[in-house]
Amino acid sequence: METIIEKISKTVEEAFSQCGYDKKYGKTGISNRPDLCQFQCNGSLASAKEYHKAPIAIANEVCEKLAGNPAFSKVEAVAPGFLNINLSDDFLAEHLNEMVGAEKFGLAASEPIKIIVDYGGPNVAKPLHVGHLRAAIIGESVKRICRYMGHEVIGDVHLGDWGLQMGLIITELRHRSPDLCYFDENYTGEYPEEPPFTLSELEEIYPAASARSKEDDAYKEEALLATRKLQAGHRGYRALWQHIMNVSVPDLKKNYADLSVDFDWWKGESSVDDVIPGMVEDMKAGGFAYESEGALVVDVARDDDAKEIPPCMILKSDGASLYTTTDLATLRDRRNTFDPDRVIYVVDKRQEMHFIQVFRTAQKCGIVREGTVLDFLGFGTMNGRDGKPFKTREGGVMRLEVLIDDIRKTMFKKITENHETDPAEAKETSKTVALAAIKYGDLSNQATKDYVFDTDKFTSFEGNTGPYILYTIVRIKSILNKYTASQNDAHLPEKLNPAANEYERALMLVLTKFAQTITAAYDEIAPHRICAYIYDVCNEFNRFYHETRILAEEDEAKKKGWIALLLLTRRILETCIDLLGFTAPEKM
Ligand code: ARG
């Protein structure tokens, strides 16, 4: 199905052509003066040069051709040469009725491609903290948008499970319990099935080890050696590594599930360990990788670089692999197993240089197939109200669980404050609304920018917030339920009538923008586009709602048309929030 813009453009293009002008000048867009008109075409201005005529003269001719066209209620030629256009209510209703019946409200199907979204990126053995929130929330939404566009999409968590942090944990364990069989080089038996630590011990071990390594050089050396031995296949260390994974990953899964974030692949840096040797051999054989000060590197600088791009290090002088190595090997692995056309990384923007190096190396060394699109969506920092990276009141790193719990409590309080509710039900509802508050608060900002996590603002039922969006959806649901209860028929009417007033017309107009919004969100990898759209939809809906007595309407045909409009509004809003990664409750 064509978008409304395509339909209008087609008609205006036709008119340009009938007047003897190139039809390209008929391209029409949304008006930037909504007070004057709904759509506007500026083609007369652009065409004036080619035809040596005053733009207004051209606009007048085209305007005359369009006069009487049933699609429009108004076409005006305005100095110096604009065409201002309003749609007829019949045409608008017809378009929406077409959307009602169309799959995905008429979103044009694109040629499906294979996409991997690499997001989340937690490090095992470290609890998720607020710094992990954006990667999870934005990545999940990007994945859902790609999928909705019709692509074959894999979400990969890409665990940090192979670097120095593993060596640090092993070293700290060794200092604490040197007698464990994992450290006995002569041990040949089976290793215990029970891990030698609990989750909370593990979570305490890592920061302790990390702090010590910063002060104690010998300790740091030990940790580096342990990392190397782990990577080289040390039996005891591999067994410990497995324990760390077994204890840590289920907890990560639970935390992500609480955020409605769901990965198809739980691969990590370690998954590609056996891919590295072959990849390194190929990079050497191809003449791309060379030794520099003992390390193996690939040059990736280009003549036209505005800033210096250092060579990409593939192996350290001690032979250990690095963050770049595992990312490159992961690309090789992905090519062999899934062969993606596009890989989108949703990672903190401070890692931009890493990804420039990885992408260039992958392209230069043929690790990715020619034409594979590699995208880096670098997101900004989540700050507290003081403008500094979000911290606990005591100034520490806040665990994600704590943040989520805080917001849930705030929502619970708000929900139970105003009216009597069953506490169990209110608890469930507050979970749903809290998630919307957190996710919408994040996603409504352009991903690349830093933003302030403002609990008071994000949990408010008013303004551009998740709770406001949900509140609007719940309001629509409640009217629809009341309508159904008043009928013998559970089936809701689906056919909209032409708008009866300006509020209805405004709501209908904003609904027509669904397809172009989703397409833009995909093209720009920009979930905030969807937020801005649903905020408009909710505002227009609420204006309409306040001006219209829907259920009290005596004219049945009129009422049915409104119910159909509400149903479409609800469906569109629910589709959009699903793309953002949250849902609406039944009541709130
Ligand atoms: N684990 C990494 C970190 O904490 C993020 C991983 C991002 N994804 C990737 N393919 N490098 O910094």
Side-chain angles (χ1 to χ4, degrees), residues 302-314:
R302 291 177 189 160
D303 293 340
D304 56 351
D305 284 339
K307 60 180 174 199
E308 194 196 330
I309 312 288
C312 180
M313 207 194 280
I314 309 297

Side-chain angles (χ1 to χ4, degrees), residues 350-542:
R350 285 169 293 191
Q351 294 195 20
E352 187 182 13
M353 182 57 87
H354 165 78
F355 284 99
I356 293 177
Q357 292 178 310
V358 167
F359 292 176
R360 288 189 181 186
T361 307
Q363 277 148 354
K364 181 172 178 177
C365 304
I367 290 171
V368 292
R369 160 165 63 74
E370 185 123 13
T372 308
V373 179
L374 300 174
D375 279 305
F376 172 61
L377 176 58
F379 53 79
T381 307
M382 168 175 151
N383 288 325
R385 281 212 279 205
D386 57 359
K388 301 206 187 92
F390 196 89
K391 290 262 165 12
T392 59
R393 225 167 274 151
E394 294 72 37
V397 181
M398 189 187 269
R399 289 178 71 132
L400 201 48
E401 287 168 296
V402 175
L403 178 86
I404 296 173
D405 206 48
D406 278 359
I407 305 292
R408 283 180 179 174
K409 283 192 186 124
T410 308
M411 286 320 325
F412 183 81
K413 216 170 133 226
K414 290 196 178 201
I415 288 167
T416 48
E417 219 163 47
N418 297 332
H419 48 274
E420 289 277 310
T421 19
D422 169 44
E425 200 180 302
K427 205 166 163 216
E428 274 314 302
T429 306
S430 53
K431 273 190 189 174
T432 310
V433 185
L435 191 63
I438 297 171
K439 288 195 166 187
Y440 190 89
D442 186 316
L443 293 169
S444 53
N445 298 283
Q446 200 177 326
T448 49
K449 299 215 171 112
D450 296 350
Y451 80 102
V452 173
F453 191 96
D454 183 336
T455 303
D456 291 346
K457 185 173 146 204
F458 288 6
T459 59
S460 168
F461 286 102
E462 278 152 43
N464 190 6
T465 70
Y468 169 68
I469 304 289
L470 294 194
Y471 192 78
T472 307
I473 296 176
V474 167
R475 172 175 273 168
I476 299 175
K477 283 186 182 185
S478 143
I479 303 170
L480 293 177
N481 287 339
K482 280 189 195 141
Y483 177 82
T484 308
S486 73
Q487 304 287 312
N488 295 324
D489 186 0
H491 217 78
L492 290 169
E494 295 200 346
K495 196 166 175 308
L496 284 75
N497 296 327
N501 56 52
E502 62 177 296
Y503 305 103
E504 189 177 4
R505 187 173 303 123
L507 173 59
M508 290 168 86
L509 258 184
V510 65
L511 290 175
T512 63
K513 294 180 189 162
F514 175 79
Q516 73 211 57
T517 302
I518 304 299
T519 306
Y522 172 73
D523 288 345
E524 299 164 23
I525 329 182
H528 75 275
R529 290 281 201 157
I530 298 179
C531 294
Y533 172 68
I534 58 177
Y535 184 50
D536 279 352
V537 171
C538 287
N539 284 337
E540 294 302 355
F541 170 77
N542 284 315

Side-chain angles (χ1 to χ4, degrees), residues 118 120-123 132 157-160 269 323 327 334 345-347 351 354-355:
D118 182 316
N123 297 321
H132 293 107
V157 69
H158 198 75
L159 294 171
E269 296 168 356
Y323 186 38
D327 259 326
R334 286 172 179 167
Y345 293 83
V346 182
V347 184
Q351 294 195 20
H354 165 78
F355 284 99

Side-chain angles (χ1 to χ4, degrees), residues 44-45 48 53-60 80-81:
S44 311
L45 296 160
K53 266 191 183 173
I56 189 68
I58 298 173
N60 275 325

